[in-house]
Amino acid sequence: MKPAVAISAIVIAVLATVVIEETRIKKLQDEITGLRALPPRVPDKAPPLVVEPAEGEDPVEPAIEPEVEPTAPPPVPGLRTVPENYPAPEEDRIREIALSPYSHLHYALNLTNRERAYFEDLMASRRLEKQQLAGQWIDALPEDRLSIGQSMEDIDSMTQDRIRTFLGNEDDFETYVAYDLMQPERELLSQIAPVMDQPVETAEGVTEPGVVLELEKELKLIEAMHRARKAAGGIDWNSLQGMKAMAEPDALERFKEEWTKTGEILATEIGTFLDETEARRFLAAREQVMATQVETLETAIEAVQ
């Protein structure tokens, strides 16, 4: 039986929910509110061309423009599939949801408060069930871990089905899937950003102010981090795949190698959308965060092995 503290550490490390800072969520919401306030652009319709007939000719009738097939309107908020008896969230719950790691997705999908609460409940249910199974997986014998791992995969599949039914729109479902795949990078950036925000003293004794990225740059950075991890052959260590990797004798060396390769790829890409100072501070903050990542992973490896 593994020590309870070790089990707690691995569950938190492997299946953690990182709360994004309220100020950064506020920045996101303000920008989205501003975009929603913009009036829809209506293209100007040119008047019909009138050709004056030459002397002695019959008048020329203006050409009749063909009717354009109307495109399907975007999903209307409030028409998602939520159980009829699901209650509207209270103000405290709405504020809590605003700090969710999925908050940006809520707005991208144009969900109502009630829909956002229901979506978060689906995510919370998945997280809780997988945390419980993770604890069982840690204590299980190697031959019993296979079935527990399959149960965790079944929970993921069941949650996917529930989300697809809830959204009722395949395009929105694909948006969710793409967003969910980048959750490891989103959580990692939520740890890196506060380090970037802090002032630093240079070798020359000059104090540089903290760096706060604009929302657009944060989103591009998350995508770049995801691409870099995939290109480096890295895995999501906050997953069942990561737990299996932790059971291998070279787990820590593998993590460090993936981290280094990912950083090298990022260093060549982020300069396309971050300025020199932002890129330098991001890479430096990333290396500071690595120390914490390694310390947590060492505790997790000890629990798993």
Side-chain angles (χ1 to χ4, degrees):
M1 176 72 69
K2 302 292 192 307
V5 65
I7 293 177
S8 175
I10 183 62
V11 170
I12 293 173
V14 175
L15 296 167
T17 299
V18 178
V19 177
I20 301 176
E21 298 173 78
E22 186 171 358
T23 54
R24 300 174 67 210
I25 288 293
K26 179 66 165 57
K27 178 175 64 175
L28 171 112
Q29 293 173 338
D30 288 346
E31 181 160 326
I32 292 173
T33 300
L35 292 174
R36 283 179 170 175
L38 295 176
R41 182 183 178 276
V42 180
D44 298 330
K45 185 175 182 180
L49 178 64
V50 178
V51 180
E52 293 293 336
E55 186 175 353
E57 293 183 356
D58 295 331
V60 178
E61 295 291 336
I64 300 176
E65 297 181 4
E67 292 187 4
V68 179
E69 189 70 21
T71 57
V76 178
L79 296 184
R80 310 296 187 178
T81 305
V82 180
E84 291 184 5
N85 61 347
Y86 188 83
E90 302 289 341
E91 287 297 323
D92 288 346
R93 181 76 197 284
I94 294 174
R95 286 193 291 268
E96 175 189 331
I97 293 171
L99 301 179
S100 162
Y102 289 88
S103 180
H104 183 261
L105 180 65
H106 297 165
Y107 287 96
L109 296 177
N110 204 20
L111 302 181
T112 65
N113 285 335
R114 181 168 176 267
E115 291 163 351
R116 292 163 63 203
Y118 180 68
F119 174 87
E120 285 297 315
D121 282 350
L122 293 178
M123 293 293 98
S125 176
R126 178 181 72 171
R127 183 170 59 253
L128 178 60
E129 292 181 49
K130 291 181 69 173
Q131 284 177 344
Q132 293 172 343
L133 287 172
Q136 296 175 24
W137 191 91
I138 293 166
D139 269 338
L141 296 173
E143 58 268 25
D144 296 328
R145 285 180 171 178
L146 183 62
S147 62
I148 298 174
Q150 182 60 54
S151 296
M152 295 177 73
E153 292 177 353
D154 291 344
I155 290 171
D156 281 334
S157 179
M158 181 175 61
T159 302
Q160 297 277 63
D161 291 342
R162 288 174 175 173
I163 295 294
R164 177 183 273 111
T165 299
F166 159 65
L167 293 175
N169 179 290
E170 198 62 26
D171 288 341
D172 287 351
F173 176 73
E174 292 301 327
T175 298
Y176 152 74
V177 171
Y179 189 97
D180 200 42
L181 286 175
M182 288 187 283
Q183 195 61 15
E185 284 69 38
R186 197 169 289 105
E187 294 180 353
L188 178 58
L189 183 58
S190 74
Q191 299 173 53
I192 294 174
V195 181
M196 295 177 63
D197 292 349
Q198 298 301 311
V200 296
E201 186 173 336
T202 66
E204 294 76 20
V206 179
T207 300
E208 290 185 351
V211 173
V212 180
L213 297 179
E214 299 173 356
L215 175 63
E216 182 180 358
K217 290 185 177 182
E218 281 194 0
L219 298 178
K220 288 182 178 180
L221 187 53
I222 289 169
E223 293 175 356
M225 292 167 66
H226 182 72
R227 288 193 299 270
R229 174 168 65 87
K230 291 297 184 181
I235 63 174
D236 174 12
W237 289 81
N238 297 334
S239 68
L240 176 61
Q241 184 183 18
M243 291 173 64
K244 291 178 179 179
M246 291 177 206
E248 300 297 326
D250 62 343
L252 191 59
E253 289 74 16
R254 176 180 178 176
F255 172 81
K256 291 180 178 179
E257 182 179 344
E258 290 179 2
W259 185 276
T260 300
K261 287 183 178 179
T262 301
E264 291 171 351
I265 296 172
L266 274 172
T268 64
E269 183 177 348
I270 58 179
T272 60
F273 56 90
L274 297 182
D275 63 35
E276 183 178 348
T277 300
E278 292 169 340
R280 173 170 51 82
R281 293 290 291 274
F282 166 75
L283 293 174
R286 182 177 181 272
E287 288 309 301
Q288 290 186 52
V289 168
M290 181 186 180
T292 302
Q293 296 280 317
V294 169
E295 183 180 348
T296 302
L297 188 62
E298 285 177 333
T299 303
I301 291 172
E302 181 181 355
V304 169
Q305 296 183 355

